[in-house]
């Protein structure tokens, strides 16, 4: 009987994922981290809670602590609405701690899953730069500028910018 009572009492204090998300959206990272970690004790296979715990760790500059949460969230499977952001979070976290190889691997997976997500491509270019793949990093960055800029001067040269982005070392006689 006592065991049943403890289970019931714990259930009353389960924090819904929407509350954790609200805390994150308000910048209350410490509260969000504590809430997500408490909720994960009762629901360890909730991908969103793992993602929210990772996000809160990043918000608190606890990058190394964020990684296992991101990895578990991706392993468990997130809705597409959160998946792209989780890839960006994990890749950026790897980049921030100097693991450029893992950052590039993560961004490559993300670019395959979300080929139209320009933010992922920008973050991928940063990881390429950090791993001294300067040409590829510049090509991605220039391509994004050419594809997305609303600047009239860029638009005037859009065709040339996109053409040059494919091979920055090309020389014509």
């Amino acid at each position: 009987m006592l065991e049943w009572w403890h289970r019931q009492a714990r259930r009353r204090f389960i924090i819904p994922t929407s509350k954790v998300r609200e805390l994150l959206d308000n910048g209350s990272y410490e509260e969000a981290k504590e809430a997500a970690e408490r909720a994960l004790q009762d629901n360890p296979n909730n991908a969103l809670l793992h993602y929210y715990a990772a996000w809160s760790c990043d918000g608190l500059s606890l990058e190394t602590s964020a990684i296992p949460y991101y990895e578990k969230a991706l392993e468990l499977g997130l809705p597409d609405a959160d998946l792209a952001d989780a890839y960006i979070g994990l890749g950026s976290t790897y980049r921030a701690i100097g693991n450029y190889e893992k950052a590039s691997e993560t961004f490559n997976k993300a670019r395959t899953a979300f080929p139209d997500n320009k933010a992922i491509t920008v973050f991928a270019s940063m990881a390429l730069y950090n791993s001294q793949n300067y040409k590829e990093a510049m090509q991605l960055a220039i391509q994004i500028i050419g594809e997305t800029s609303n600047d009239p001067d860029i638009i005037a040269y859009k065709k040339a910018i996109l053409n040059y982005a494919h091979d920055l070392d090309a020389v014509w006689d």
Side-chain angles (χ1 to χ4, degrees):
M1 180 72 169
L2 187 57
E3 184 179 317
W4 176 86
W5 170 253
H6 285 286
R7 277 195 311 255
Q8 295 305 314
R10 281 181 60 189
R11 285 188 184 144
R12 288 185 205 149
F13 298 108
I14 293 174
I15 298 167
T17 55
S18 60
K19 177 62 177 167
V20 179
R21 176 62 189 250
E22 183 181 315
L23 290 167
L24 288 166
D25 288 340
N26 291 328
S28 302
Y29 299 119
E30 187 65 45
E31 288 179 68
K33 181 179 179 290
E34 291 171 7
E37 288 175 341
R38 274 196 317 269
L40 280 167
Q41 290 174 2
D42 291 321
N43 197 355
N45 292 320
N46 184 311
L48 275 176
L49 287 173
H50 282 280
Y51 169 52
Y52 294 162
W55 179 355
S56 65
C57 287
D58 272 346
L60 294 167
S61 298
L62 301 171
E63 282 78 9
T64 304
S65 298
I67 291 171
Y69 287 120
Y70 277 126
E71 290 174 341
K72 187 67 174 179
L74 292 171
E75 175 190 318
L76 292 170
L78 289 164
D80 280 354
D82 298 296
L83 183 58
D85 291 333
Y87 274 128
I88 290 171
L90 179 59
S92 294
T93 301
Y94 280 137
R95 194 181 79 76
I97 65 167
N99 193 337
Y100 308 130
E101 185 177 326
K102 290 283 259 184
S104 289
E105 287 174 18
T106 302
F107 290 128
N108 285 338
K109 286 180 193 173
R111 289 179 67 212
T112 299
F114 300 96
D116 296 328
N117 187 314
K118 304 300 184 197
I120 291 171
T121 303
V122 171
F123 282 101
S125 74
M126 289 186 259
L128 288 166
Y129 170 85
N130 289 127
S131 57
Q132 299 181 346
N133 292 313
Y134 303 123
K135 181 179 178 180
E136 192 176 351
M138 279 299 295
Q139 287 174 311
L140 287 179
I142 291 169
Q143 183 178 339
I144 291 295
I145 291 167
E147 290 176 353
T148 64
S149 180
N150 292 323
D151 182 279
D153 295 326
I154 300 287
I155 292 170
Y157 290 97
K158 180 177 182 167
K159 185 176 178 182
I161 291 168
L162 291 175
N163 184 48
Y164 293 140
H166 292 291
D167 189 357
L168 296 172
D169 297 322
V171 177
W172 290 270
D173 291 330

